[in-house]
Amino acid sequence: MKRFISILCLIAIVIGSLSLVGCKDNSAEKNSISVAIMAPDVASSEGTAENNRWTKYIAEQTGLDITWVAIPQNEMKTKLNTLLAAGEAPDMFVEYSNAYFQGLVFDGMLMELDDLIEKHSTEYKKYIEENSDLKTWTMLDGKTYAFTNRRPADKILSFGMWIRQDWLDKLGLKAPTTIDEFVEVAKAFKTLGDDIVPLAYPYQFINTIYNAHAQWYEKDDGSGLEYGVVTKRYADSIAMHKKMYEEGIVDKEYFVDKGGSKQYELWNSGKAGIMFSNWDSSVNQTLLKNDPNANPVQLEAFSTKYGTNGMFVEAPPQLYVMMNKDCKNPEAGMKLVDWLIGGGYKNLMFGEEGVHYKMDGEIPVTICDRDTFTREVEYAKRYAVLGSFVLDPEWIPKMANQDELSQKLAAEKVDAMNTINKHHYRRDVPYNPPESRVSSIVSDFSSSINAITVKYITGGNQYDENWCETELRREWELAGGKEAEELATKWYKDNIDMIKAFQAENK
């Protein structure tokens, strides 16, 4: 009998031990998650994209076992599509494109997040309620399929116009306030040298001035939507572009300048007087190193017959942070999201407090040199896929390195932000109509746009002023443009309350 009881006790102990082991393994598994991010540029001294001081820091702070999957930004969509098709995609992944996000929803690749947020979130639930306008961008058919946060003030700006104030001063000119004045200023800049190209990177520049982007706009009479490239505004913008090309205001070879490397070279070498580019003052860094006496300033948007249009700005969401429908541990993903939005992002943006930055009131002030920050901190921002940082533009000089060049660039950045924000950028709908047929038609048509516009701009007098508009409209209709307009307008009318609320919030 004693032997039997001993055996029972032994069995109980073994079973109990196995149960404990099972619980431990299960707990560890529930804390595991894989996350795809846009590949950071990690110095060899820091480790790798998958294992460095910041991946270790995140693991220590969250208690999560995170497998980081680094994918080059320009390959993200293609790589994710391949992994999703093979059933091998990470649990969470990020993208900038709302259209891509919508496509994944339609394809059934994403987890619906409302219950997860309601039951397991504290920080993100609070954040998205306080920033309820962002919900529009993360929902389809009334359901949430992505996490996001608001872009900081300096990141929502996309393009700007830089002009050489020292050139204006040399010629006794004022900054242009109309398109006609702009042409005259650009022609005057040509007199400063045979190798001068007044305007670098002109293509998007002219479409921005005329507010004629490849996006959907509300018709003037409110009856529906029209595609920007087949509007009269676009035709007029390309006609002006042709005039500037023929006047020698732009680089004749920019059509084949892939990536714009020659355009930046013209600006950096002091051979261009106006640059349409990334708005950020960092675009002037090389120019100012080459010529410390150069004085690039932000050129305020000027008017055309269509009024004064703001510079293109990004949509409010910074990133779409999505969860794979097959994610086994969504609570772990929610824990990471809550940690980031609740303040975990801070050191990923600014570094280690006391080493890389210090707080001056609310302002995180950089205290290390530029090289150290670049090497040890800059790459960490890729892991901060969410955050709640709100930037006051006046903080920028304090946040920058204190050397003379950094401070000059910071001051330019503040001035540029203030100048760009003087004029509202028109966005009539929050995102393109989420209809796959509309997207397909637009994609088919897009391949024709550049060929037609380049042919018209460079074709001299063999094409009359209506040729480009007529050809674009013909190609649009061949691609199914009429059907796209009908579907887009139906979506517009079906969602008119949401669209009008969006317009009211974004005046």
Side-chain angles (χ1 to χ4, degrees):
M1 185 67 178
K2 289 181 181 178
R3 175 181 170 84
F4 177 70
I5 291 172
S6 297
I7 292 172
L8 285 177
C9 289
L10 180 61
I11 291 171
I13 290 169
V14 170
I15 290 173
S17 298
L18 288 172
S19 298
L20 288 172
V21 170
C23 285
K24 184 178 180 182
D25 286 346
N26 189 46
S27 175
E29 185 177 314
K30 284 187 175 180
N31 278 324
S32 299
I33 192 159
S34 55
V35 184
I37 58 169
M38 295 172 184
D41 185 10
V42 183
S44 58
S45 60
E46 288 289 296
T48 65
E50 296 75 23
N51 184 20
N52 53 66
R53 75 169 73 202
W54 297 111
T55 60
K56 294 172 185 174
Y57 170 76
I58 296 170
E60 290 167 0
Q61 293 291 312
T62 63
L64 296 172
D65 177 17
I66 305 173
T67 300
W68 297 99
V69 181
I71 301 174
Q73 182 173 336
N74 63 349
E75 298 176 16
M76 182 63 81
K77 296 185 187 73
T78 302
K79 198 72 169 279
L80 282 178
N81 287 342
T82 301
L83 293 171
L84 286 164
E88 299 174 355
D91 297 313
M92 296 177 72
F93 35 83
V94 302
E95 234 302 313
Y96 285 111
S97 169
N98 180 271
Y100 182 71
F101 156 67
Q102 289 182 15
L104 292 183
V105 175
F106 292 137
D107 291 341
M109 295 296 180
L110 303 183
M111 182 176 290
E112 191 266 305
L113 303 172
D114 290 297
D115 285 347
L116 181 67
I117 294 169
E118 180 61 31
K119 294 176 181 178
H120 297 282
S121 175
T122 54
E123 299 293 340
Y124 185 78
K125 180 161 60 174
K126 177 183 176 184
Y127 177 84
I128 201 65
E129 287 301 326
E130 292 174 348
N131 295 270
S132 58
D133 60 302
L134 294 176
K135 289 183 179 180
T136 301
W137 301 85
T138 62
M139 301 178 74
L140 281 178
D141 296 328
K143 297 178 181 179
T144 302
Y145 291 96
F147 306 105
T148 195
N149 65 265
R150 191 177 304 283
R151 289 177 188 266
D154 62 332
K155 302 301 181 186
I156 201 165
L157 303 181
S158 185
F159 295 112
M161 299 180 290
W162 294 96
I163 190 168
R164 291 287 296 269
Q165 182 64 48
D166 48 319
W167 287 18
L168 288 172
D169 294 342
K170 186 174 183 178
L171 293 167
L173 299 172
K174 293 182 179 180
T177 60
T178 68
I179 185 66
D180 292 334
E181 289 178 4
F182 173 80
V183 171
E184 292 308 308
V185 167
K187 288 162 67 175
F189 279 179
K190 279 181 62 68
T191 67
L192 294 176
D194 294 337
D195 57 351
I196 295 296
V197 177
L199 171 62
Y201 235 139
Y203 201 28
Q204 287 297 329
F205 164 89
I206 197 69
N207 294 338
T208 295
I209 292 299
Y210 281 82
N211 205 343
H213 290 284
Q215 64 187 35
W216 289 92
Y217 292 92
E218 188 177 47
K219 290 182 178 180
D220 291 341
D221 62 4
S223 62
L225 297 181
E226 58 184 357
Y227 196 57
V229 180
V230 288
T231 61
K232 182 62 176 173
R233 294 192 308 280
Y234 185 86
D236 286 346
S237 75
I238 297 304
M240 177 56 69
H241 200 158
K242 180 181 178 71
K243 177 179 179 179
M244 293 194 297
Y245 182 86
E246 291 174 347
E247 293 275 6
I249 290 171
V250 301
D251 175 25
K252 297 283 188 179
E253 303 299 321
Y254 84 88
F255 295 111
V256 294
D257 185 11
K258 301 301 182 184
S261 59
K262 185 181 178 185
Q263 305 305 298
Y264 281 101
E265 183 182 327
L266 289 168
W267 181 252
N268 291 335
S269 63
K271 293 180 180 178
I274 304 159
M275 178 74 171
F276 180 79
S277 173
N278 178 339
W279 77 276
D280 196 291
S281 58
S282 61
V283 76
N284 298 320
Q285 190 165 324
T286 302
L287 169 65
L288 290 171
K289 283 183 177 179
N290 292 339
D291 182 2
N293 295 317
N295 185 19
V297 299
Q298 190 70 199
L299 175 60
E300 185 176 341
F302 46 82
S303 67
T304 70
K305 69 180 184 180
Y306 297 105
T308 303
N309 299 303
M311 293 290 103
F312 180 86
V313 297
E314 300 291 348
Q318 184 163 7
L319 277 173
Y320 294 90
V321 182
M322 299 165 276
M323 195 168 283
N324 191 334
K325 67 177 177 58
D326 297 324
C327 176
K328 293 183 175 62
N329 303 311
E331 292 90 347
M334 192 73 252
K335 186 176 182 180
L336 176 61
V337 166
D338 267 11
W339 177 76
L340 284 167
I341 206 82
Y345 71 90
K346 189 174 180 181
N347 280 13
L348 300 176
M349 287 183 66
F350 306 115
E352 184 181 346
E353 189 169 1
V355 175
H356 303 107
Y357 78 98
K358 67 178 181 180
M359 294 302 296
D360 180 354
E362 297 180 87
I363 310 173
V365 178
T366 300
I367 58 175
C368 64
D369 62 82
R370 180 195 295 272
D371 290 342
T372 299
F373 188 88
T374 299
R375 182 177 64 255
E376 298 181 358
V377 182
E378 193 69 41
Y379 73 91
K381 296 175 184 178
R382 291 294 197 184
Y383 303 93
V385 295
L386 289 166
S388 54
F389 179 63
V390 178
L391 175 71
D392 183 330
E394 301 307 318
W395 295 357
I396 291 173
K398 279 194 173 184
M399 292 172 63
N401 293 97
Q402 296 304 301
D403 61 276
E404 184 178 353
L405 177 58
S406 295
Q407 284 299 298
K408 185 171 183 178
L409 291 170
E412 285 183 0
K413 187 171 183 175
V414 175
D415 289 341
M417 288 181 72
N418 291 334
T419 299
I420 293 172
N421 284 324
K422 286 181 179 179
H423 300 285
H424 176 69
Y425 173 70
R426 177 183 173 184
R427 182 180 272 114
D428 294 349
V429 292
Y431 43 77
N432 288 330
E435 302 282 348
S436 59
R437 178 61 180 152
V438 172
S439 299
S440 176
I441 291 169
V442 168
S443 178
D444 290 345
F445 172 62
S446 296
S447 61
S448 305
I449 298 172
N450 192 57
I452 292 171
T453 53
V454 170
K455 190 174 183 179
Y456 174 65
I457 290 167
T458 61
N461 58 12
Q462 63 180 306
Y463 304 114
D464 66 34
E465 60 182 15
N466 298 317
W467 183 86
C468 184
E469 182 179 6
T470 301
E471 285 297 297
L472 286 170
R473 174 57 67 177
R474 184 177 67 83
E475 288 296 325
W476 174 241
E477 292 178 356
L478 286 173
K482 184 177 180 181
E483 181 186 0
E485 289 171 1
E486 290 172 351
L487 290 169
T489 293
K490 181 180 185 304
W491 171 80
Y492 165 82
K493 291 180 177 178
D494 289 345
N495 294 274
I496 193 67
D497 291 342
M498 178 272 288
I499 290 169
K500 290 303 178 184
F502 166 79
Q503 291 176 356
E505 291 170 347
N506 291 273
K507 285 183 178 178

